[in-house]
Amino acid sequence: MTETPALHALWPAPLADGTVHATVTVPGSKSVTNRALVLAALAAEPGWVRRPLRSRDSQLMADALRALGVGIEETASSSSGDGSGGEAWRIIPAGLHGPATVDVGNAGTVMRFLPPVATLASGDIRFDGDPRSYERPLGQVISALRTLGARIDDDGRGALPLTVQGGGALEGGVVEIDASNSSQFVSALLLSGPRFNQGVEVRHTGTALPSMPHIRMTVEMLRAAGAQVDTPEAGGEPNVWRVAPSALLGRDMVVEPDLSNAQPFLAAALITGGTVTVPDWPRRTTQPGDELRRIFTEMGGSCELTDAGLVFSGSGKIHGIDVDLSEVGELTPGIAAVAALADSPSTLRGVAHLRLHETDRLAALTAEINGLGGEVTETADGLHIRPRPLHGGVFRTYDDHRMATAGAVIGLAVEGVQIENVATTAKTLPDFPKMWARMLSGAGA
């Protein structure tokens, strides 16, 4: 399995020498790409995924599906350099089969979405990944699949590595699950639900669900593929989702830009008092990153959706914010970075679940911002950030892509910040250093 090197070269985060004015083309959404790949692989006919994100996480998903027998034909890359390249992937469903080994890396979507798919395969499917993947929550998915009829060998760990003993089908039915730690637990069961003999009824029994927009994304994409889904928003029971058994249709899916990955570029406009335009920003979307328009406006910016895309401008001032990020937790590192440069304190709430992401993001943000002279305090469910004059130093990433971009944001305003392992941004944002340099040069990215 993939191992993470112990030492990484340090990347000097560029200091902005003026206001940023650029157009930044953001690669496709990882969340949409990986859901689209799963749904296309389970369909009854071939389909297309256009403008997919080509990154480590999406490549892990594609390689895993290929290992199970799915055909994925990729068009040649263009030279756009934004990670999407105008590509189109043709997905050709096939009888899922093993034996096979799946490398999940440290991708939550792969480690959680594919064990349910593997129950539909014939033969044993082994799942393994990076060392950090062994620590990430997976027990709820494992126990839920067992309730629905699956045979899984995990030596009692409730975590990776594990082997799914695929029987070619899964009975399905009703299952209770505590998805308080990750909305991906719900999405994982819903995505494969149409292929279960009885479909699936998922009942969340825990506290408030984090990242609800991602569940809404799953539901919309299922419906677009022809599935019948009942949800709480549609008048159903609270915290209950039902997917009826049915064939899925092969679709032609165009992947939206990853709005969460637009965050560091919008932050650059906010911090420098400049303007950044992001083409193809959707007017309607289930992506959590769309909340950046509201949050960064409250912190001192302004934005407008135009025919050219989202035009975001900074005012030259950055204000602190008190905000509940429970539905958009992935935005926390970038917001914390901006808040450390604000003119007043900030409180980020509702994100206790971030302690279980690629790294413990709350502890990591506290340690790294404070290491540059900041004053960040962990709370029970978030962070309190009191701005202080910052200085240069090494900003560790913990192999977490959003920590790397957060450090780059701080480096715009603080001289001498060095990012450890900036290459980890390849998880979802290919070639980030080049995109960052092009933005700062005014050439766009």
Side-chain angles (χ1 to χ4, degrees), residues 418-439:
Q418 298 182 83
I419 310 299
E420 174 264 343
N421 190 20
V422 74
T424 195
T425 53
K427 178 180 172 71
T428 61
L429 195 54
D431 212 9
F432 169 75
K434 184 180 291 185
M435 294 177 68
W436 200 242
R438 285 178 58 83
M439 175 196 70

Side-chain angles (χ1 to χ4, degrees), residues 13-40:
L15 185 71
D17 58 6
T19 57
V20 167
H21 295 279
T23 296
V24 179
T25 300
V26 177
S29 164
K30 176 203 73 175
S31 298
V32 174
T33 297
N34 280 2
R35 283 167 173 77
L37 285 171
V38 170
L39 291 172

Side-chain angles (χ1 to χ4, degrees), residues 22 91 128 150 159 174 178 202 219 233 238 249 269 302 314-316 365 367 375 383 388 394 419 437:
I91 317 300
D128 207 335
V174 180
D178 182 353
V202 181
V219 168
E233 293 90 344
L249 306 175
S302 62
S315 63
L365 288 164
E375 185 180 332
L383 300 172
R388 289 284 184 263
V394 174
I419 310 299

Side-chain angles (χ1 to χ4, degrees), residues 230-265:
D230 294 328
T231 69
E233 293 90 344
E237 295 179 62
N239 293 326
V240 176
W241 293 262
R242 298 183 181 90
V243 180
S246 69
L248 293 173
L249 306 175
R251 290 299 196 192
D252 194 326
M253 166 70 72
V254 179
V255 178
E256 298 174 350
D258 193 315
L259 306 187
S260 294
N261 276 341
Q263 183 178 40
F265 305 101

